[in-house]
Amino acid sequence: MAGLTAAALAGIGFLAFQANASAPEHLAKAPHSPSASPSPSAGRGGSGGQGKKDDGGKTVAAVPAGSGEGKRVVYALGAKRVWLVDESGKASRSFEVTPSTVDPAPGDYAVTSRAAAVLGSDGVRVVKVVRFAVTDGVAIGFSAAADGSTPPPDPGSRTGGVRESLADADALWDFAALGSPVVVVK
């Protein structure tokens, strides 16, 4: 029974995303890149600050406190940041994102569907789409614009695409298979 429910939810999320993807091209905005400066961590009791260095020598922002345990993707709405957290609870990567106009509620989710490339709800061609929630009929997921830009969403439209760089999209795509936990914090 649980399997049928999960399959039905995944199907609904996919159909909502596809319906949302039919927005006219005039809703697309000019490209925008998020700031490269570090953002403080935020979340359920998040402590903020910096964490360890990754393999490239970059500082990885500390994983928000209260964001769960084990391997997971953590998305902090206020910090506009994502962490890829391994089984030991350490972030292997953290990066800033450009949020959509419709946010998921803080809570625990799982990856429901993935797509290599689609037309985003804002008319932008996106790649490495990893969907994990549906909020008010809008599918929410991480993706990168195929051209590498991170355009801000039109504030007058209802979109669910959380945009990331192409390199970050590659890392998240490799990290988050179907069913992988996604934790959203404030």
Side-chain angles (χ1 to χ4, degrees):
M1 189 69 156
L4 289 174
T5 302
L9 288 174
I12 290 169
F14 177 75
L15 291 174
F17 185 83
Q18 290 299 332
N20 214 21
S22 64
E25 294 237 5
H26 73 277
L27 293 178
K29 287 288 198 176
H32 168 271
S33 294
S35 164
S37 63
S39 293
S41 299
R44 299 178 222 154
S47 58
Q50 300 296 310
K52 67 175 184 99
K53 301 248 184 216
D54 67 10
D55 293 336
K58 290 182 175 180
T59 300
V60 177
V63 177
S67 65
E69 295 181 9
K71 184 177 178 180
R72 66 199 182 278
V73 175
V74 177
Y75 174 30
L77 299 170
K80 300 178 185 175
R81 182 170 286 279
V82 169
W83 289 260
L84 306 182
V85 183
D86 65 21
E87 294 84 2
S88 70
K90 305 278 190 228
S92 59
R93 187 180 188 107
S94 177
F95 50 91
E96 290 186 338
V97 294
T98 301
S100 57
T101 60
V102 178
D103 289 329
D108 298 329
Y109 299 90
V111 174
T112 57
S113 66
R114 296 166 28 115
V118 297
L119 186 64
S121 58
D122 56 0
V124 174
R125 184 102 176 124
V126 294
V127 297
K128 307 283 175 99
V129 180
V130 177
R131 298 177 201 95
F132 62 92
V134 176
T135 301
D136 297 328
V138 177
I140 310 292
F142 303 107
S143 63
D147 66 3
S149 65
T150 54
D154 176 354
S157 66
R158 294 176 38 81
T159 63
V162 180
R163 294 291 164 75
E164 57 204 349
S165 73
L166 286 168
D168 293 331
D170 285 341
L172 194 140
W173 179 265
D174 292 342
F175 185 86
L178 281 175
S180 293
V182 178
V183 179
V184 178
V185 297
K186 291 181 183 177

